[in-house]
Amino acid sequence: MIANLIQLAAEEEQNPLVPPGPELLVGTIAFAIVFFFFWKKLLPNINKVLEARRAAIEGGIEEADAMKVEAQSVLEQYKAQLAEARHEAARLRQEAQEQGATLIAEMRAEGQRQREEIVAAGHAQLDADRKAASSALRQDVGKLATELAGKLVGESLEDHARQSRVIDRFLDGLDEAAATAEATR
């Protein structure tokens, strides 16, 4: 039992949380070597990579901002060009409508003028035809009236001057009678 007590005393002297001295010394030296290796070799490389990554991210953000500003500028230019094109199209449309209206007015005026010319020519032709018909009718009626009067009277009425005066008086009387008949209608 004494041996058990010595062994228990020896175990009590050594705390399981505190390592023995030689292990502590070897562990500290190993930690210092690993720490020195990380501090001299690995930590600068990690810092370089992190710095490069930070610079790339910041450069990408700056580049994205610059591209965004440029895209906004291009968008504004396109909007301005589109507005200008729409304005130009509206102006051209307005000019075309005005030219169309002017052309229509000119065509109407020309049509009106041609119609008036055709009507005037028709009236002139009608008057000429009426005069020609009246003249031909006077001659024919005068000739027939002279022949008829000559047969009734029994003498020849061949004197042209007298014949003309008789015919003119007769036809003038017919014209006056026709005019009064139209006026009473």
Side-chain angles (χ1 to χ4, degrees), residues 1-16 18:
M1 261 254 229
I2 294 192
N4 280 344
L5 284 176
I6 295 177
Q7 187 179 16
L8 278 176
E11 284 181 9
E12 282 183 23
E13 281 179 20
Q14 243 188 10
N15 188 354
V18 178

Side-chain angles (χ1 to χ4, degrees), residues 75-95:
L75 179 64
E76 291 299 323
Q77 287 176 351
Y78 286 147
K79 284 182 180 179
Q81 288 175 349
L82 182 61
E84 184 179 329
R86 285 180 179 160
H87 177 70
E88 181 69 17
R91 185 186 62 79
L92 290 175
R93 192 177 319 114
Q94 182 66 26
E95 284 180 9

Side-chain angles (χ1 to χ4, degrees), residues 62-116:
E62 289 173 2
E63 186 177 330
D65 287 342
M67 291 179 81
K68 182 179 176 183
V69 168
E70 184 180 345
Q72 189 67 26
S73 170
V74 169
L75 179 64
E76 291 299 323
Q77 287 176 351
Y78 286 147
K79 284 182 180 179
Q81 288 175 349
L82 182 61
E84 184 179 329
R86 285 180 179 160
H87 177 70
E88 181 69 17
R91 185 186 62 79
L92 290 175
R93 192 177 319 114
Q94 182 66 26
E95 284 180 9
Q97 287 175 347
E98 289 172 0
Q99 288 176 353
T102 303
L103 186 61
I104 289 172
E106 288 174 358
M107 294 300 281
R108 282 184 181 161
E110 179 66 21
Q112 184 70 20
R113 185 189 60 77
Q114 288 177 353
R115 184 184 70 84
E116 289 173 0

Side-chain angles (χ1 to χ4, degrees), residues 125-158:
Q125 182 66 35
L126 191 60
D127 287 343
D129 288 348
R130 186 180 297 143
K131 286 180 183 177
S134 174
S135 173
L137 186 62
R138 279 181 183 259
Q139 288 175 356
D140 289 345
V141 168
K143 192 181 216 184
L144 288 173
T146 306
E147 287 177 13
L148 184 61
K151 287 182 184 177
L152 287 176
V153 173
E155 66 180 72
S156 175
L157 297 174
E158 293 292 324

